[in-house]
Amino acid sequence: GESVGLHLPTLSVQEGDNSIINCAYSNSASDYFIWYKQESGKGPQFIIDIRSNMDKRQGQRVTVLLNKTVKHLSLQIAATQPGDSAVYFCAETSTGRRALTFGSGTRLQVQP
Amino acid sequence: EAGVAQSPRYKIIEKRQSVAFWCNPISGHATLYWYQQILGQGPKLLIQFQNNGVVDDSQLPKDRFSAERLKGVDSTLKIQPAKLEDSAVYLCASSLPRDSSSYNEQFFGPGTRLTVL
């Protein structure tokens, strides 16, 4: 069935380093992808999105890359800060569907 | 701008009891979602409303879960009777209506953490 998964459950990085969080999806009909950040005790918070007609999109300190050939999505965080420590989820949806399908999440730990 | 409000924040019940959660979406958001997030997993959609109509409830366990949004604003999600496996965080989200060519960001509330003993 449809699934969105992540390669690494936990990622530990040093403060100031760049972080890369990966996600694989299986629904080839997916045309819209979103990264969410979830801190303890809070709901998911939108970080950045990308449509399937793009392969890269940049925000403030974050970049999302989409490789439709291998159905792979990644989130890059530049100069990782302690405030970036959280669980990160990728999610996908497609034109005609309305629901988001979330992956299982990657915990990012930033070491001072 | 006020965010999505949910109550209660925490609830502990025994199995076979009933429980209800309340959600107040962002003002003007016609679309409302309920998600279930089991510990260590991503949120899973239970039901989606457009105004007071159900758009998608294909993953809602209808034998025990029910939800309503009678006036197209607030919503309640009920579980009756609860099972141990219902222990999870129940998230409410809202968004502007999505048309066929766009996607509107979903804003999430803080969730209700349910523990079933």
Side-chain angles (χ1 to χ4, degrees):
Chain A
E2 301 171 6
S3 67
V4 180
L6 298 177
H7 298 305
L8 298 173
T10 303
L11 177 64
S12 185
V13 300
Q14 292 293 124
E15 181 178 357
D17 287 352
N18 297 334
S19 302
I20 300 176
I21 301 172
N22 296 302
C23 174
Y25 65 95
S26 61
N27 185 359
S28 57
S30 297
D31 59 8
Y32 190 86
F33 305 88
I34 312 104
W35 280 100
Y36 284 91
K37 173 185 180 183
Q38 187 173 27
E39 297 174 284
S40 181
K42 297 182 179 180
Q45 178 184 12
F46 175 95
I47 300 173
I48 191 169
D49 59 359
I50 188 168
R51 296 185 183 277
S52 59
N53 61 353
M54 305 172 67
D55 54 18
K56 180 178 180 179
R57 189 168 188 216
Q58 289 184 292
Q60 186 176 13
R61 286 200 307 117
V62 294
T63 300
V64 56
L65 299 178
L66 175 62
N67 185 331
K68 294 181 289 296
T69 301
V70 294
K71 299 190 185 71
H72 184 268
L73 192 69
S74 68
L75 176 70
Q76 300 178 0
I77 305 173
T80 312
Q81 302 170 359
D84 295 327
S85 294
V87 177
Y88 290 79
F89 294 96
C90 63
E92 57 92 9
T93 188
S94 56
T95 302
R97 285 183 58 211
R98 298 171 186 262
L100 289 173
T101 299
F102 282 83
S104 57
T106 291
R107 180 173 301 279
L108 177 64
Q109 296 176 334
V110 182
Q111 307 297 329
Chain B
E1 167 180 274
V4 176
Q6 290 189 249
S7 68
R9 291 296 313 277
Y10 305 92
K11 189 73 176 179
I12 300 174
I13 62 173
E14 295 187 349
K15 60 182 179 183
R16 292 188 288 273
Q17 286 187 323
S18 302
V19 64
F21 312 126
W22 173 82
C23 172
N24 180 240
I26 293 172
S27 178
H29 282 193
T31 308
L32 185 146
Y33 313 79
W34 282 102
Y35 289 85
Q36 180 192 59
Q37 185 175 23
I38 294 172
L39 184 64
Q41 299 181 16
K44 183 187 79 172
L45 181 75
L46 292 174
I47 189 168
Q48 177 185 347
F49 292 94
Q50 179 82 3
N51 296 307
N52 61 350
V54 175
V55 173
D56 183 353
D57 64 355
S58 58
Q59 298 187 82
L60 186 73
K62 300 181 186 62
D63 58 333
R64 297 184 301 106
F65 286 65
S66 65
E68 60 183 14
R69 194 184 183 201
L70 295 176
K71 297 183 178 179
V73 181
D74 293 3
S75 177
T76 56
L77 175 69
K78 297 179 181 178
I79 307 175
Q80 181 181 11
K83 293 185 176 181
L84 296 177
E85 58 262 36
D86 298 332
S87 293
V89 174
Y90 291 84
L91 294 163
C92 180
S94 70
S95 70
L96 292 169
R98 175 185 176 187
D99 62 33
S100 60
S101 62
S102 69
Y103 175 81
N104 289 303
E105 179 183 346
Q106 293 185 26
F107 294 84
F108 285 82
T112 296
R113 181 175 296 278
L114 174 67
T115 301
V116 182
L117 303 176

